[in-house]
Each structure stands twice: as C-alpha cells, then as structure tokens.
Amino acid sequence: ATPAGAFRVVDRVVNPMYTAPDGSTIPGGRPENPIGSRWIKFAPSLGIHGTNEPETIGKPLSKGCVRMRNEDVEWLYDFLPPGSVVVIY
C-alpha cells in the first residue's frame, strides 16, 4: 500500500532508469520500462511515476508508489518542483 502522509518532492527524473529487485536495469525511454516517462521522488524508494501498462492503473500493482498514465504524470511533473508537498490520504 502507498503510505499516507505529507511528503516533500526531493527529486524528479525524465525517462528514469528502472532497477529491478534482482539488480538488473532497464534504461529510461525503453517501452518495457515499468516506471514510464517520469519519476517524482518523495521518499527513499517511493514516488509518483508513469507506467508502461496504462490499463493497470487503479489496480494494486506498485510497491507503494503512485502510478499514473504517462501523459498525466508528465503534466504533473511540470507542476511539482523539488520542495513541493505531496499529501496522500
């Protein structure tokens, strides 16, 4: 589950690299990258990101992150500079 609370955006990345639990990586911008086109970090391994499977939005598939369609997270990215507060209920 995504933790509830108020968090500050600490970093943002366009076309982030994905690191799998086994340590393998998928470069940013690749269609198989599950992080999608943007990463908005608000905790050590938590954030808001896109997805390469938009049909799964609304299903509990992340490891605590907030997943969005790439076009939506790209819009949000422009409005959440580092230091912004994100509140999750």
Side-chain angles (χ1 to χ4, degrees):
T2 303
F7 304 91
R8 287 204 181 273
V9 172
V10 296
D11 194 16
R12 301 179 317 149
V13 180
V14 173
N15 290 325
M17 178 175 64
Y18 172 72
T19 302
D22 68 3
S24 63
T25 61
I26 300 173
R30 300 282 303 267
E32 64 272 20
N33 185 323
I35 301 297
S37 63
R38 300 290 185 274
W39 169 250
I40 303 168
K41 180 180 178 176
F42 57 75
S45 60
L46 292 175
I48 302 168
H49 62 79
T51 181
N52 64 340
E53 297 179 331
E55 68 281 0
T56 65
I57 295 297
K59 297 177 182 175
L61 297 175
S62 78
K63 295 178 175 66
C65 291
V66 176
R67 294 178 314 119
M68 300 177 77
R69 294 179 309 166
N70 285 329
E71 57 267 25
D72 294 332
V73 77
E74 289 168 10
W75 178 88
L76 186 63
Y77 182 95
D78 292 335
F79 291 94
L80 287 178
S84 298
V85 175
V86 174
V87 179
I88 299 173
Y89 293 96

